[in-house]
Amino acid sequence: MKALDGIKVLDFTHVQSGPTCTQLLAWFGADVIKVERPGVGDATRKQLIDVPGADSLYFTMLNHNKRSIELNSKNETGKEVLTRLIEECDVLVENFAPGALDRMGFSWERIQEINPRIIMASIKGFGPGKYEDCKVYENVAQCAGGSASTTGFLDGPPLVTGAQIGDSGTGLHLCLGIVTALFQREKSGRGQKVSCAMQDSVLNLARVKLRDQQRLAAGPLKEYSQFGEGVPFGEATPRAGNDSGGGQPGRILKCKGWEQDPNAYTYFIIQAAVWEKVCDVIGRPEWKTQEGYAKPPERLDKLNEIFSTIEEWTMTRTKFEVMEICNPHDIPVGPILSMKEISEDEGLYATGTMVRVDHPERGEYLSVGCPIKLSDSDVEVTRSPLLGEHTSEILSDVLGYSGDDLDRVIGSGAVGEIKAEAAE
Ligand code: CAO
């Protein structure tokens, strides 16, 4: 048995934020029915194509374990089928542009009328207010949520981060809202609306930077490198380069081979508790007792010198050797792993965090599996559906259409062309 066995999800999502959420629900055992525009589907199917004629990795890596039905929700028969789906499903998830669902004739009020037990979950770029009508993509959310202004180096422009905190981050938030609402429904018997704004989700993940914004009122942020360098603070939380966010000085340092390998670096934290061990490992035992070095506050104006000295040592070791040497001493370090190294790490496949998936159009590809492990609800990652692959079975098995009625729906053009069963 899987945690969400028996839960049916009407997946009206596209691109990345919504599909991240519904993919998690599918991995936890829900029957996720992805509704896609006939002949077109989720736009990501055809974005960043690497294998001509096959669904893109963008699509396949975000839509595992789902079923796909083609449905034109603006056609009258299509609206009828959508209404039947709303009746049958426990959860509806959507991330259309603001107002799109209302324009289709499916406002939250109408959806509740159709099925008062349904949980309707929506992602928009912004919450209610002056930007509520905006269409929003990943990097816009990273900028509006305070992440970009606090990422990068002090003397450079704001930076967006490679982790998709706006899209996938919001999908994760929404998923939590949905399972919480399902839990409440157990007691109340009622559905509810779950909303997540991408700006809010990014801000939630950038919480420590709002902490620092308020700390500025009490004086300079002493753990930031710029404090030791004598650079004055302005009115807003500054960009902190690779400083660690938790108050213990940390930097990214070069390791052996950095001249050829752009990822031959390690993260290195000089945590106060292990300072003496750091001094021994890098061959500067005198710093353990030397005035100006022995106590954490004394070191703050010498971080550039200290980290340069540590780097002279890390440059004589590979990033993995640095880890092997420092770990037994509890010195917090971490190799900068490339995506190539991660994709070749068999340990990650053993835990299911990385998976190899077969696909009828593109053959085997790699993906990230479910990062959340439940001891009593196993995840088996199965491939993403082809466009409309399950239209026929959803119409008959889930919605109960048969005979002339089924022919009427198919003949109306609302559900696209019925596909033969896809070859596995
Ligand atoms: N049948 C008929 N019409 C359909 C349909 C279906 N099955 N599925 C979608 N459509 C229609 C919508 O109703 C909409 O029509 P209207 O414009 O007439 O209302 C139209 O397709 C386009 O939908 P959209 O505006 O959501 O799509 P877009 O490509 O123009 O915008 C995006 C994309 C992501 C910017 C926008 O959906 C958005 O802001 N979403 C919320 C924020 C979000 O999730 N952003 C993350 C994006 S990346 O993960």
Side-chain angles (χ1 to χ4, degrees):
M1 177 190 172
K2 303 252 167 88
L4 295 182
D5 262 351
I7 297 295
K8 284 197 198 74
V9 177
L10 195 178
D11 180 7
F12 224 169
T13 69
H14 64 155
V15 204
Q16 185 181 161
S17 62
T20 301
C21 167
T22 50
Q23 177 166 264
L24 282 165
L25 296 172
W27 281 339
F28 294 147
D31 179 7
V32 175
I33 299 168
K34 185 162 175 115
V35 175
E36 299 182 80
R37 206 183 330 204
V40 182
D42 187 325
T44 60
R45 284 187 185 269
K46 297 290 165 255
Q47 259 173 37
L48 308 175
I49 288 289
D50 59 325
V51 177
D55 282 332
S56 72
L57 286 167
Y58 198 3
F59 179 82
T60 54
M61 290 177 73
L62 284 159
N63 290 284
H64 292 108
N65 297 60
K66 304 180 185 179
R67 298 199 276 176
S68 164
I69 175 173
E70 283 174 287
L71 185 67
N72 181 347
S73 56
K74 289 182 173 165
N75 160 306
E76 272 320 302
T77 311
K79 286 184 202 289
E80 171 201 316
V81 174
L82 190 59
T83 305
R84 287 283 301 116
L85 275 167
I86 293 170
E87 280 166 359
E88 287 300 321
C89 287
D90 300 275
V91 181
L92 183 162
V93 191
E94 65 93 20
N95 69 314
F96 290 125
L101 212 53
D102 300 71
R103 287 192 287 279
M104 276 180 209
F106 292 92
S107 63
W108 168 224
E109 291 69 30
R110 174 74 191 118
I111 288 168
Q112 271 176 303
E113 250 170 49
I114 301 169
N115 179 358
R117 280 178 59 82
I118 203 164
I119 287 148
M120 173 173 153
S122 297
I123 290 177
K124 300 290 165 252
F126 293 94
K130 57 185 170 177
Y131 299 129
E132 66 186 28
D133 290 331
C134 296
K135 291 188 174 186
V136 169
Y137 290 96
E138 170 68 46
N139 288 346
V140 175
Q142 288 198 26
C143 295
S147 175
S149 71
T150 52
T151 304
F153 286 91
L154 198 57
D155 56 0
L159 279 185
V160 294
T161 160
Q164 305 285 284
I165 57 176
D167 280 342
S168 288
T170 309
L172 278 165
H173 281 85
L174 192 74
C175 192
L176 176 60
I178 291 170
V179 291
T180 305
L182 280 169
F183 188 69
Q184 187 173 356
R185 192 182 74 169
E186 290 296 302
K187 290 172 263 177
S188 70
R190 288 190 312 277
Q192 63 183 299
K193 188 170 185 325
V194 179
S195 307
C196 280
M198 294 169 73
Q199 179 186 37
D200 301 3
S201 300
V202 171
L203 176 58
N204 186 34
L205 297 174
R207 179 175 292 259
V208 298
K209 299 298 179 180
L210 184 65
R211 173 201 67 192
D212 292 349
Q213 177 64 41
Q214 295 169 88
R215 288 172 60 230
L216 272 175
L221 307 172
K222 293 186 178 159
E223 76 283 11
Y224 280 55
S225 290
Q226 82 176 77
F227 173 71
E229 290 163 355
V231 180
F233 283 78
E235 289 183 345
T237 307
R239 295 189 263 290
N242 288 321
D243 287 344
S244 92
Q248 304 283 346
R251 297 267 176 96
I252 288 185
L253 305 178
K254 291 171 183 155
C255 292
K256 195 170 171 179
W258 67 274
E259 298 91 336
Q260 291 82 38
D261 177 357
N263 295 304
Y265 287 82
T266 185
Y267 201 85
F268 202 111
I269 302 176
I270 51 169
Q271 206 177 24
V274 291
W275 171 244
E276 299 200 345
K277 290 172 181 167
V278 172
C279 297
D280 285 334
V281 162
I282 64 166
R284 298 304 293 261
E286 68 278 14
W287 278 357
K288 291 193 274 187
T289 50
Q290 191 176 329
E291 201 177 322
Y293 294 87
K295 298 203 173 72
E298 299 172 344
R299 295 196 282 270
L300 292 176
D301 62 352
K302 301 180 193 66
L303 291 181
N304 287 347
E305 180 207 344
I306 290 170
F307 279 115
S308 301
T309 308
I310 299 174
E311 192 170 55
E312 280 169 27
W313 175 76
T314 57
M315 281 162 67
T316 65
R317 302 280 193 277
T318 68
K319 60 189 177 188
F320 298 110
E321 287 167 349
V322 169
M323 183 110 173
E324 274 160 34
I325 294 167
C326 291
N327 254 1
H329 299 293
D330 292 331
I331 301 171
V333 296
I336 307 305
L337 294 182
S338 68
M339 278 298 165
K340 180 168 186 298
E341 287 163 332
I342 288 173
S343 65
E344 291 165 354
D345 183 341
E346 285 305 323
L348 292 174
Y349 292 91
T351 61
T353 294
M354 286 286 302
V355 288
R356 297 182 175 89
V357 187
D358 211 8
H359 188 275
E361 291 173 342
R362 58 179 309 121
E364 188 180 89
Y365 65 95
L366 308 182
S367 194
V368 185
C370 185
I372 302 164
K373 320 290 182 192
L374 300 186
S375 67
D376 203 17
S377 182
D378 261 8
V379 173
E380 188 202 338
V381 177
T382 60
R383 68 168 175 82
S384 58
L386 303 177
L387 178 61
E389 183 176 344
H390 306 100
T391 300
S392 172
E393 68 179 47
I394 290 165
L395 287 174
S396 47
D397 301 353
V398 179
L399 303 181
Y401 284 105
S402 63
D404 289 351
D405 210 17
L406 181 61
D407 292 343
R408 172 183 63 82
V409 171
I410 294 171
S412 73
V415 293
E417 227 176 84
I418 298 298
K419 312 283 186 303
E421 260 180 45
E424 280 301 321

